[in-house]
Amino acid sequence: MKNLKFRNGDLLPILGLGTWKSGPGEVQKAVFWAIEAGYRHIDCAAVYGNEKEVGKGIAEAIEAGLVKRQDLFITSKLWNDSHRHEDVGPAIDRSLDLLNLDYLDLYLIHWPISFKHGIGFAQHREEYYTYKDVPLTQTWEAMQEQKSLGKTKHIGVSNFNQSKLKELIKMKEEVPEMNQVEMHPFLPQEALVQFCKEHEILMTAYSPLGSPDSRGEKHINDPKLLQNPVVKEIANRQGISTGQVLIAWSINRDVAVIPKSVNKNRIIENLESAQVKLTDHDLMELKDIGVSHRFVDGSFFTGSQSPYKTSDLFDQ
Ligand SMILES: NC(=O)c1ccc[n+]([C@@H]2O[C@H](COP(=O)([O-])OP(=O)(O)OC[C@H]3O[C@@H](n4cnc5c(N)ncnc54)[C@H](OP(=O)(O)O)[C@@H]3O)[C@@H](O)[C@H]2O)c1
């Protein structure tokens, strides 16, 4: 499988397993099957509430002799309620404890949004901190400290637009090594990809299949990425599935990609996308797909009670 290279030369397997919405009773098996099939990169987060089960899947695979810890690349993310300097260390310690690991390979600031400590999802104004209360630069200082303590090999961010990245770059300290954002042919993020490339920031594409299992009633009219006619036509031509077209699209752009599945056959099918060769014609058709859509629109953080605006999350 193709790897991406961090600035220090460390490698990131370009395809990993997503674990958001992977429930208890299913995620341990999913992680084990993934490692058994050949995945070496697992994407986790404190807020997914399943790090203990993910850790069990990893331990099971190591105990079965499938891999050693150092063969795996494990990412976790700092939740919005732990952005204050003093909260970052305990937050990474908790993820390490749940995952049953001595170190992470990558730790990300999950969103550029800050809640008071202990708040899972802020509903009221008083449950939020503003950028004045807790500047992102404060959180970034603490992230660098965790790296220097050896608790994570790499640090980065998620859901950061260009202006938020520039705030951290201006500190003249360590530049984030990764920016994980939503990315697929409906949201190719060309300008952000270019900006990150210029600053040697690797990128990971989340919700590469359009996150169909997070779309409730409210989103019934969202366009369907896996059923898009252009994607379907390429899949038919190549003799592969639409999911494989979408995963191969990210790999082709040198962007890491983390499709989520708890289904053994789909876990294997998704891994096989790493072998798919899209033609220039396929790529041109995907570029001209004619649909523009963001599935994870951040609206849960930008309601009337929130001090944050959509422009704090996404480039307009
Ligand atoms: N940093 C962030 O803020 C952020 C936000 C969103 C997501 N993420 C990360 O990115 C990962 C992926 O994104 P996501 O979970 O939103 O959605 P996704 O990977 O785009 O889609 C997952 C859905 O697609 C189904 N699926 C998987 N493989 C398939 C295939 N080959 N054909 C058809 N359906 C398939 C899954 O069902 P089954 O499980 O039943 O197979 C599940 O319903 C997350 O799990 C998480 O790790 C990060």
Side-chain angles (χ1 to χ4, degrees):
M1 179 185 307
K2 198 166 170 182
N3 290 294
L4 298 180
K5 204 182 262 186
F6 285 99
R7 292 193 286 265
N8 75 344
D10 284 356
L11 300 178
L12 165 72
I14 197 158
L15 174 56
L17 178 76
T19 62
W20 177 35
K21 308 166 267 74
S22 303
E26 53 184 13
V27 70
Q28 178 179 343
K29 277 187 280 179
V31 168
F32 182 84
W33 290 329
I35 296 172
E36 187 181 48
Y39 286 73
R40 295 294 177 262
H41 168 185
I42 317 278
D43 182 76
C44 318
V47 75
Y48 302 162
N50 57 8
E51 290 194 316
K52 197 170 174 64
E53 290 83 9
V54 171
K56 284 185 183 167
I58 294 170
E60 196 187 338
I62 293 175
E63 275 158 31
L66 297 177
V67 280
K68 298 195 175 63
R69 166 65 185 98
Q70 61 267 30
D71 302 328
L72 296 173
F73 190 100
I74 312 293
T75 301
S76 184
K77 310 186 194 89
L78 177 78
W79 188 234
N80 302 353
D81 73 332
S82 298
H83 278 205
R84 288 182 309 174
H85 194 284
E86 64 267 39
D87 294 330
V88 176
I92 190 170
D93 289 347
R94 171 118 182 105
S95 281
L96 287 170
D97 186 44
L98 288 170
L99 289 163
N100 194 19
L101 299 176
D102 299 330
Y103 67 90
L104 294 173
D105 294 278
L106 177 63
Y107 197 48
L108 305 175
I109 301 179
H110 204 149
W111 288 88
I113 300 279
S114 180
F115 303 156
K116 297 225 167 125
H117 194 59
I119 301 294
F121 274 86
Q123 306 287 338
H124 305 290
R125 179 66 192 84
E126 62 274 13
E127 294 175 326
Y128 285 92
Y129 283 129
T130 63
Y131 289 132
K132 212 165 155 213
D133 299 324
V134 187
L136 288 169
T137 49
Q138 180 185 128
T139 313
W140 189 242
E141 291 279 358
M143 294 287 284
Q144 292 175 73
E145 276 172 31
Q146 300 312 307
K147 181 176 171 180
S148 62
L149 289 169
K151 293 193 220 169
T152 180
K153 289 188 185 293
H154 301 278
I155 49 174
V157 297
S158 174
N159 298 297
F160 272 46
N161 62 13
Q162 290 188 44
S163 76
K164 292 284 172 288
L165 285 169
K166 279 178 194 163
E167 277 182 44
L168 303 190
I169 292 168
K170 253 198 260 159
M171 292 168 73
K172 303 248 178 271
E173 295 179 12
E174 177 160 4
V175 172
E177 298 176 88
M178 170 64 70
N179 189 18
Q180 181 182 121
V181 300
E182 180 178 338
M183 223 188 296
H184 41 69
F186 290 174
L187 187 67
Q189 305 258 32
E190 307 279 7
L192 191 57
V193 169
Q194 187 54 36
F195 179 87
C196 287
K197 201 170 170 190
E198 279 160 21
H199 293 274
E200 294 184 285
I201 301 169
L202 297 179
M203 294 198 83
T204 300
Y206 76 61
S207 302
L209 310 175
S211 199
D213 54 347
S214 70
R215 314 282 77 210
E217 280 289 294
K218 219 174 97 192
H219 298 281
I220 201 108
N221 295 320
D222 279 2
K224 308 275 179 292
L225 187 55
L226 282 161
Q227 282 94 45
N228 176 272
V230 173
V231 181
K232 269 187 172 171
E233 196 191 308
I234 297 169
N236 288 339
R237 225 169 31 225
Q238 288 262 8
I240 57 176
S241 73
T242 53
Q244 289 176 320
V245 172
L246 295 167
I247 296 165
W249 176 84
S250 272
I251 295 174
N252 185 275
R253 303 171 92 217
D254 289 334
V255 167
V257 57
I258 47 173
K260 171 264 175 186
S261 181
V262 290
N263 173 289
K264 190 171 184 178
N265 292 334
R266 284 193 287 273
I267 287 172
I268 294 168
E269 173 187 322
N270 293 347
L271 183 69
E272 287 168 355
S273 317
Q275 315 307 328
V276 171
K277 301 254 174 301
L278 295 176
T279 64
D280 289 348
H281 180 58
D282 298 335
L283 294 169
M284 193 55 78
E285 286 189 342
L286 289 167
K287 201 176 162 93
D288 294 339
I289 199 160
V291 184
S292 174
H293 189 76
R294 187 186 289 280
F295 293 98
V296 181
D297 63 6
S299 52
F300 27 88
F301 301 137
T302 55
S304 61
Q305 294 281 319
S306 170
Y308 298 100
K309 303 179 293 302
T310 307
S311 58
D312 289 318
L313 299 175
F314 311 125
D315 292 314
Q316 298 301 294

